[in-house]
Amino acid sequence: MSMSGDIPPWPCSDPEHGRIRLRRFTDLDAAMAMDLSQDRYVPTVGSLPPHATHEEALAWIERQRQRHVEGTGFSFSIADLETDRSVGNIGLWIRELDTGRAQVGYAVAPNERGHRIASDALCALTAFAWTIPHLHRVELYIEPWNAASIRTAERAGYEREGLLRSHQEIAGKRCDMFLYAAIRESTVR
C-alpha cells in the first residue's frame, strides 16, 4: 500500500461498544501509559519503555498520535464511556490494506484488567474496521500462554486459525503465536 495518502480517514465519530469508546489520545492519558508501562510484558512488544516517566509516557502518546499521520494505522485510547478516563490502548494496523488485511494489537492498563474492557474495545475496533472499503480480514497474533487475550478474541467473534511456530521475536526470543481472525461477512465465499 502506498503511504502517500491512501490511508482511510480518521472516523467521524468515536467507535463505541459496551462501556468504552475509542478516541484520540490526549496528554491526560499519560497516567494510563505510566500504569501500562509497569506491566512486565507490554514494553517488550511496543515502544512504551518499562516504568515510564511522565515525560516518556507523553512521548509514547505522541508516537500514538502520529500512527495515522505516518500511514501505519489507527491508534486509539480506550476510554471509559462515562468518565472519558483512558484505561488502555488498541490499534488497527493497515500496512497490508492493499491485500485486504489488517492487524490488531491492544493492551489494558494493569489496574483496569478483569472487566472485559479489551473485549468491548476489540468489538468497537472491529466494527470500525468494517467501514474501511476493501478490508475483509482482521488478524490478531496471540501468545499461546495468554489465556486472557484468547478469551478476549473469542468473545469478540474472532476464530483461531492455527499456530504460527517461531513467528515473532519478543524480548530477544522467537515466540509461537496463535493466529486469530475475523472475516467480513459480506466477503465470505
Side-chain angles (χ1 to χ4, degrees), residues 34-122:
M34 291 170 68
D35 184 23
L36 194 56
S37 78
Q38 301 306 308
D39 184 281
R40 290 180 316 161
Y41 182 71
V42 170
T44 67
V45 294
S47 66
L48 183 62
H51 310 288
T53 65
H54 188 260
E55 292 75 25
E56 290 171 326
L58 289 174
W60 178 80
I61 287 168
E62 185 56 31
R63 287 191 296 278
Q64 301 318 300
R65 290 181 185 134
Q66 293 303 311
R67 303 296 187 222
H68 190 255
V69 174
E70 296 165 351
T72 57
F74 300 83
S75 185
F76 294 98
S77 177
I78 303 170
D80 180 275
L81 195 57
E82 291 182 18
T83 66
D84 196 43
R85 186 175 53 82
S86 182
V87 294
N89 74 299
I90 190 165
L92 181 69
W93 312 118
I94 58 170
R95 291 177 194 93
E96 297 182 83
L97 184 58
D98 60 338
T99 64
R101 292 191 307 264
Q103 290 77 37
V104 173
Y106 51 83
V108 173
N111 292 332
E112 305 295 337
R113 294 178 183 161
H115 305 288
R116 298 191 176 185
I117 290 167
S119 295
D120 283 350
L122 185 55

Side-chain angles (χ1 to χ4, degrees), residues 39-45 106-108 113 141-152 160 162-164 168-171 173-180:
D39 184 281
R40 290 180 316 161
Y41 182 71
V42 170
T44 67
V45 294
Y106 51 83
V108 173
R113 294 178 183 161
Y141 301 99
I142 303 174
E143 304 82 346
W145 57 262
N146 195 337
S149 197
I150 290 167
R151 285 190 304 273
T152 293
R160 185 184 310 179
L163 176 68
L164 303 171
Q168 186 173 339
E169 185 172 321
I170 300 172
K173 191 169 105 175
R174 298 300 299 170
C175 298
D176 294 347
M177 294 288 198
F178 283 137
L179 170 61
Y180 276 79

Side-chain angles (χ1 to χ4, degrees), residues 9-10 26 67 99 116 136 151 153 184 187:
W10 193 265
T26 72
R67 303 296 187 222
T99 64
R116 298 191 176 185
H136 69 272
R151 285 190 304 273
R184 188 192 305 245
T187 64

